Amino acid sequence: TVFHNTRYQVTVIDTNGCVAGDETLLRVRKDRNVFIPNAFSPNGDGSNDVFFVHSDPFSVRQINVLRIYNRWGEQLFEVKNAAPNDPRVGWDGFFRGEALNPAVYTFYAELEFVDGVKQLYKGDVSLIK
């Protein structure tokens, strides 16, 4: 697996001593294919009930941390060292066993990509019922 631009060079010598060679540059696109929704509806209908990080299966190694805060800065949810694309590790709209009211909440996420790069994502998410 190549994570950075890499130049490959090949040299061939045949039995007569003739030499031939070539090289190519493999350019790696570093698209960070991450989607973090800006709304979810934890109403138990089985659709969009959990807030979680989405990515393609080959980009994100893990979610180092995902935190949710209310408008007063109180931390409502935290998960560490979790896999992306897994609603089982997402936020279900509850805090201390109580369903929260519709509102706008903020999130903070640190994602670690397969090439070792760590990137922060911050934003808000609307809880809709």
Side-chain angles (χ1 to χ4, degrees), residues 8-28:
Y8 288 97
Q9 211 169 8
V10 176
T11 303
V12 178
I13 303 173
D14 70 10
T15 56
N16 297 320
C18 295
V19 178
D22 203 356
E23 67 179 48
T24 187
L25 175 64
L26 180 63
R27 294 181 191 261
V28 178

Side-chain angles (χ1 to χ4, degrees), residues 12-104:
V12 178
I13 303 173
D14 70 10
T15 56
N16 297 320
C18 295
V19 178
D22 203 356
E23 67 179 48
T24 187
L25 175 64
L26 180 63
R27 294 181 191 261
V28 178
R29 289 180 51 183
K30 295 216 177 184
D31 295 337
R32 304 296 187 195
N33 295 319
V34 173
F35 173 67
I36 302 176
N38 62 1
F40 75 118
S41 59
N43 56 12
D45 67 356
S47 177
N48 202 26
D49 286 333
V50 179
F51 173 78
F52 61 100
V53 175
H54 303 257
S55 77
D56 71 56
F58 308 107
S59 293
V60 177
R61 176 178 291 141
Q62 74 174 6
I63 302 165
N64 290 339
V65 65
L66 171 63
R67 295 185 185 115
I68 308 293
Y69 299 92
N70 65 18
R71 62 178 156 178
W72 298 282
E74 180 180 17
Q75 184 175 310
L76 307 176
F77 174 82
E78 178 180 67
V79 65
K80 292 182 176 181
N81 304 320
N85 304 315
D86 187 353
R88 295 173 298 171
V89 299
W91 181 45
D92 61 3
F94 279 72
F95 179 60
R96 295 186 182 154
E98 299 286 326
L100 294 176
N101 291 323
V104 177

